[in-house]
Amino acid sequence: MPDIRIVIDPCQEGHPSASDLVVESEADYYAARRNLRQALADDTDLVVWVRSEGLATRFDDLSREPRVVTQRYDLRNELAAALGAAGIPEIITPEIIREFDLVVKARSRDSTETQSTATWCIRALLGDLWTASSRSPGDLQTILLDLATDDRPSLRGLLAWRLGKWADAAGGDNVWRWLADNPVDHARCLLGCMAVGGYGDMAIQWLTQAGFDADTVRRGMELAREHTADPAPIPSEVLASIIRSQLPRELGRRLVSGGVSALDAATARTEAEQRAVLGYLRERAQQGHLLTANESDQIASWSQSCTAGPLSRQLTFAASLLAERDMPPPLPADASWSQAVHWIERHYMPAYAARAVSGRLEETSDAVASFEDWLCDHYQSLMQETEAGLQWTCARAERLAEDALVVLVLLDGVPLPVARWLKQSLGEEEGVSVASERVYLAPLPTLTRFGKPVLLSARLPDQARAGEVDALVGTFAVQPASCQMAEKIGDLAMLRPGRVVLHHFRTVDRDLLHSPMASLDRWIDCHTIVAGLAEDLKALVRKARAEGVPLWLCCASDHGWTELPDSAVSPDLPSSLDEAAITHRRAIAGTADGTCGIPLPRARFFLPDDFTVARGYTYFGRRPHGAVHGGATPQEIAVYGFWVTTAAVEAPQDLVLQIVGEVRRAVKHNEAALRLTNTNPESVVVSEINLERVSVSPNRLPLAIRASGSEELGVICDASGCGEAFPVSGTVSWQTTSGMRRTQRMEFSVPTRGAATTDREFEDMFEV
């Protein structure tokens, strides 16, 4: 029997095939009638689509012809046929099928999929999140965020149906049943309650002003208290505009009146709240009020629990900058380079940064003076003999480019703490090893025109090559054609071994250092800019790994910067010095006596010409705008350089630790020695020792240990409560001469000697 059908489709939703007839006009009608008569006569197949309701009734006479089937196009039937199903759930209405083009989607689906018709429809309309037959309360916030951003009114019934099914599965009067009553509005209300519930009566006022009725807000608050034990950050865009506008003001007010404890109310950790906290920190900095260690930790912990992004990163960084730090004592005149590095990294730089951002730089003057005196006394030996100078960053790198791509990033003006953060960020990238990292001394004067050639040439200023290509050719033993200057890291399209690429990262120096702005903002902007560079470098690492190209990446600063206190003055310059020769208000060509600044005779300071740099926080000529560099303060001259690589790096051998001397069991105070043995072929410097029940005098650190050598430190061992053995566990942090850092975990035990009690312990035992 032939397939002769008349399909009534006035909404034009069907999809006729090429051989079907389509009736949309009077002429089409008469042509269709002729073809129908011919098909009946010839007993052949024919399908006629009638797309006009007015013309549809004119085919009624054919209803008496048994060989002709007249049917009205049904989207639900078509969807069922496309899915190979017997039927479609009633909740999937023709309007929904039509709006979301489900028939076309069903026909283009993967035919190997095995899922129920209802599940396919829910996935196609609502997404995978809604396909489960039940949900736990732990999924609530994800569901709420999806509901709150749903702007499809036609799906509200389907959402309510699914939520009702979850409510039935959970049993009782649960959150799913409440949401099913009004899915989108109730979700938005509940998110608002979760976001601002900690603000008490103010929260209820905001939510009421946002248009939610009192009963809805009351129930929303109850459910929020039940389901916000550990809420995730809530995006600001899902909150009502009244909440977005009032939230930062209220949190800012509470921070000012109540301090950091106000963060207890800010459980949603929205971007608006993050901005309010950042504004509060700016006010603290302007007022010269630093954070206590506990306050800094609270803000850092709160910001780190926010959604990862620039704002949370800025908050964490700002909180660390504003933490109160004790000023270190002056640097001893006979301090070694390793002791000076320890003093700079662990003590001075954190204290300086805190005082710089809070306008209290005068408090660092004594420390700066002691460092500058120490530096002038030891500059020659430091730059030549102890490998402290910046030129050592790329020393011994002449073979790196033989079978790898070498990328050198000059961090123009990036300060030590931010450069160190960059190393940490890159070191967390998969497949990356930190090959070396060190604090270096930039050459005096601390200007790019001296620092850059020294870094690239691996030579002192008076021997450095000024040309970039010439410097790279000499340092990395490559041909000029193998050297490339990259304006942007993203410019590196083809990665090939045997090439050396230089990227001069100028943004910090160019955009921040010499612009008038609050010190805290300068530091925050610097960190944000370098975070962008970190992402570019991570992308480069991933590209190199994907293409199988070994990569050696060096990042090093050429100088830092310093703020100037309001009390800074300009000394009178002798007539022998020309003010036109001043650079950045901190350096001037020619030498003057020590009352004017720090003279730098060229022979003693390895310079092509004589210079004088400003002493402490003085400056030459008119007062500069913004931050400055060129001088000899620790923050200008102490810079950070590191190498990371995707190639295999041989790790140094662990140090060997031993307790030397007698440890008596049950005795609290045992004087002994801690012997540290270095089996590596290069010397190491131990910067920190943290061992449980073993007290080490911090005055003995940092401790240098020669290659294949040993050193001993006096320690006190607390063996109270110990039996036959005294357990030792903890960490030892150290660094090799070549710049590899390690934090080594230790765990061993020491046999104790026979029981020994003091007279006092005997009396305590028997209460005499």
Side-chain angles (χ1 to χ4, degrees):
M1 186 173 178
D3 177 20
I4 302 177
R5 282 182 293 143
I6 299 174
V7 182
I8 312 302
D9 181 24
C11 294
Q12 301 186 19
E13 294 168 331
H15 299 274
S17 67
S19 60
D20 295 346
L21 295 181
V22 177
V23 176
E24 294 179 337
S25 65
E26 192 78 13
D28 294 337
Y29 168 73
Y30 288 114
R33 294 294 303 212
R34 288 194 298 272
N35 279 277
L36 281 168
R37 285 195 297 271
Q38 189 65 43
L40 289 169
D42 297 342
D43 214 21
T44 56
D45 296 342
L46 179 64
V47 178
V48 177
W49 291 77
V50 183
R51 289 189 159 175
S52 168
E53 194 69 61
L55 294 173
T57 57
R58 296 172 68 176
F59 290 92
D60 288 349
D61 61 303
L62 294 175
S63 61
R64 295 185 294 274
E65 170 57 58
R67 291 177 294 171
V68 178
V69 176
T70 301
Q71 64 186 64
R72 185 165 289 273
Y73 185 81
D74 188 312
L75 280 172
R76 287 168 47 80
N77 289 339
E78 290 295 319
L79 179 58
L83 292 172
I88 299 297
E90 290 296 324
I91 194 67
I92 309 299
T93 64
E95 291 74 22
I96 290 176
I97 298 172
R98 181 181 305 115
E99 181 180 351
F100 298 99
D101 213 7
L102 290 188
V103 174
V104 173
K105 292 177 181 177
R107 287 172 175 159
S108 62
R109 81 189 195 287
D110 183 355
S111 59
T112 62
E113 291 179 358
T114 56
Q115 56 188 319
S116 70
T117 303
T119 298
W120 183 90
C121 291
I122 291 171
R123 176 176 282 111
L125 293 167
L126 303 180
D128 290 337
L129 184 64
W130 296 85
T131 57
S133 58
S134 63
R135 283 290 184 184
S136 69
D139 303 321
L140 176 61
Q141 195 160 322
T142 304
I143 298 294
L144 292 176
L145 290 171
D146 198 61
L147 283 171
T149 54
D150 195 299
D151 58 356
R152 301 169 296 178
S154 58
L155 295 183
R156 301 291 166 84
L158 179 60
L159 290 167
W161 174 80
R162 171 48 90 194
L163 289 164
K165 294 293 185 182
W166 290 347
D168 293 341
D173 183 20
N174 53 60
V175 66
W176 307 123
R177 200 171 304 284
W178 183 73
L179 288 171
D181 293 340
N182 191 339
V184 175
D185 285 351
H186 281 188
R188 290 172 179 168
C189 179
L190 183 49
L191 279 172
C193 293
M194 289 178 168
V196 301
Y199 293 89
D201 292 342
M202 292 298 302
I204 296 174
Q205 179 181 325
W206 295 336
L207 289 163
T208 303
Q209 291 175 343
F212 300 110
D213 63 72
D215 288 341
T216 300
V217 173
R218 178 190 57 77
R219 182 57 176 150
M221 285 294 185
E222 291 174 356
L223 290 168
R225 285 191 289 271
E226 293 175 16
H227 295 282
T228 53
D230 186 23
I234 296 176
S236 298
E237 57 268 20
V238 304
L239 302 177
S241 58
I242 182 69
I243 296 176
R244 292 200 302 270
S245 64
Q246 295 296 325
L247 197 56
R249 298 176 192 171
E250 179 63 15
L251 178 57
R253 185 189 67 79
R254 293 186 179 208
L255 285 166
V256 171
S257 62
V260 175
S261 61
L263 292 178
D264 294 342
T267 56
R269 305 184 291 286
T270 62
E271 286 191 3
E273 289 169 309
Q274 293 177 56
R275 290 192 181 93
V277 179
L278 198 55
Y280 168 71
L281 293 181
R282 287 191 172 101
E283 289 183 19
R284 291 275 298 243
Q286 290 171 1
Q287 296 165 1
H289 297 158
L290 294 175
L291 302 170
T292 66
N294 185 54
E295 288 176 325
S296 176
D297 289 344
Q298 278 185 269
I299 294 175
S301 176
W302 184 86
S303 63
Q304 287 166 0
S305 65
C306 298
T307 301
L311 263 179
S312 63
R313 189 167 52 236
Q314 289 170 6
L315 265 178
T316 303
F317 184 59
S320 69
L321 287 174
L322 277 166
E324 180 76 70
R325 318 275 183 167
D326 292 335
M327 278 305 303
L331 181 65
D334 61 349
S336 66
W337 171 234
S338 60
Q339 290 171 329
V341 169
H342 186 80
W343 182 85
I344 293 168
E345 274 198 292
R346 300 298 179 90
H347 303 292
Y348 176 80
M349 282 303 295
Y352 159 75
R355 283 154 181 81
V357 299
S358 59
R360 294 161 47 184
L361 271 180
E362 289 89 346
E363 297 174 18
T364 68
S365 296
D366 289 345
V368 167
S370 72
F371 176 82
E372 289 181 336
D373 290 343
W374 171 87
L375 179 67
C376 291
D377 289 343
H378 301 281
Y379 189 83
Q380 280 188 307
S381 62
L382 287 168
M383 300 301 277
Q384 284 185 310
E385 300 168 11
T386 59
E387 300 192 4
L390 182 62
Q391 72 273 15
W392 291 99
T393 308
C394 294
R396 310 184 187 93
E398 62 274 2
R399 301 189 62 182
L400 289 184
E402 288 181 357
D403 55 3
L405 170 67
V406 175
V407 177
L408 181 58
V409 180
L410 174 63
L411 304 172
D412 198 337
V414 175
L416 188 155
V418 180
R420 187 168 56 192
W421 174 87
L422 176 62
K423 180 271 305 178
Q424 179 182 342
S425 180
L426 293 176
E428 293 170 354
E429 181 71 14
E430 183 181 358
V432 171
S433 300
V434 179
S436 68
E437 49 173 319
R438 289 173 62 184
V439 175
Y440 293 98
L441 289 175
L444 285 171
T446 47
L447 304 171
T448 298
R449 65 166 165 158
F450 294 111
K452 183 176 181 178
V454 163
L455 174 65
L456 303 189
S457 297
R459 295 182 178 184
L460 290 166
D462 56 353
Q463 303 166 358
R465 297 179 176 91
E468 295 170 338
V469 173
D470 287 346
L472 296 177
V473 167
T475 300
F476 294 97
V478 293
Q479 295 300 314
S482 298
C483 299
Q484 177 184 349
M485 308 300 121
E487 276 297 312
K488 299 177 182 178
I489 290 297
D491 291 345
L492 301 180
M494 296 183 63
L495 308 184
R496 297 197 303 271
R499 297 185 64 81
V500 177
V501 178
L502 170 64
H503 172 53
H504 189 159
F505 184 68
R506 295 179 170 88
T507 313
V508 170
D509 187 279
R510 181 191 63 213
D511 296 349
L512 299 181
L513 297 201
H514 311 296
S515 300
M517 63 173 64
S519 176
L520 180 61
D521 288 336
R522 195 187 323 277
W523 279 90
I524 291 174
D525 289 353
C526 174
H527 192 272
T528 301
I529 290 169
V530 173
L533 172 66
E535 293 307 309
D536 290 342
L537 293 175
K538 289 178 181 178
L540 173 65
V541 167
R542 291 191 286 269
K543 181 178 174 67
R545 294 188 68 219
E547 296 181 10
V549 177
L551 172 68
W552 283 87
L553 170 62
C554 175
C555 299
S557 301
D558 58 343
H559 60 77
W561 82 65
T562 187
E563 309 283 347
L564 294 180
D566 292 339
S567 60
V569 297
S570 174
D572 294 330
L573 292 173
S575 58
S576 59
L577 297 182
D578 182 3
E579 287 199 19
I582 296 174
T583 305
H584 295 316
R585 302 294 155 190
R586 292 283 283 171
I588 187 169
T591 56
D593 61 54
T595 60
C596 179
I598 301 174
L600 307 179
R602 57 184 175 183
R604 185 180 165 202
F605 286 86
F606 314 106
L607 293 168
D609 299 294
D610 295 337
F611 274 86
T612 300
V613 297
R615 187 181 296 276
Y617 294 123
T618 62
Y619 57 91
F620 298 140
R622 67 178 185 275
R623 186 181 177 92
H625 298 294
V628 292
H629 60 92
T633 64
Q635 55 267 29
E636 292 171 276
I637 197 170
V639 295
Y640 205 73
F642 62 88
W643 282 90
V644 297
T645 182
T646 60
V649 177
E650 185 176 350
Q653 297 294 313
D654 286 347
L655 301 184
V656 178
L657 270 65
Q658 297 171 284
I659 298 292
V660 180
E662 185 178 89
V663 178
R664 294 173 295 161
R665 70 181 66 106
V667 174
K668 185 177 181 66
H669 188 96
N670 289 281
E671 295 186 3
L674 178 65
R675 179 180 296 159
L676 298 96
T677 302
N678 171 30
T679 60
N680 291 290
E682 58 179 327
S683 61
V684 303
V685 175
V686 178
S687 58
E688 194 169 351
I689 299 175
N690 293 304
L691 299 176
E692 292 185 18
R693 306 168 71 99
V694 178
S695 300
V696 181
S697 172
N699 295 331
R700 294 295 310 278
L701 298 175
L703 176 70
I705 310 175
R706 67 184 185 279
S708 302
S710 297
E711 293 288 341
E712 291 188 1
L713 295 171
V715 296
I716 304 298
C717 299
D718 177 6
S720 55
C722 291
E724 299 293 327
F726 172 63
V728 180
S729 63
T731 59
V732 178
S733 299
W734 49 277
Q735 182 174 11
T736 65
T737 303
S738 60
M740 295 193 73
R741 293 196 180 194
R742 289 285 307 279
T743 295
Q744 176 184 335
R745 296 203 62 81
M746 307 294 303
E747 189 168 341
F748 61 94
S749 61
V750 179
T752 57
R753 299 295 295 270
T757 57
T758 64
D759 292 342
R760 180 67 257 170
E761 288 170 332
F762 184 84
E763 292 170 4
D764 290 343
M765 291 169 62
F766 292 95
E767 299 182 352
V768 296

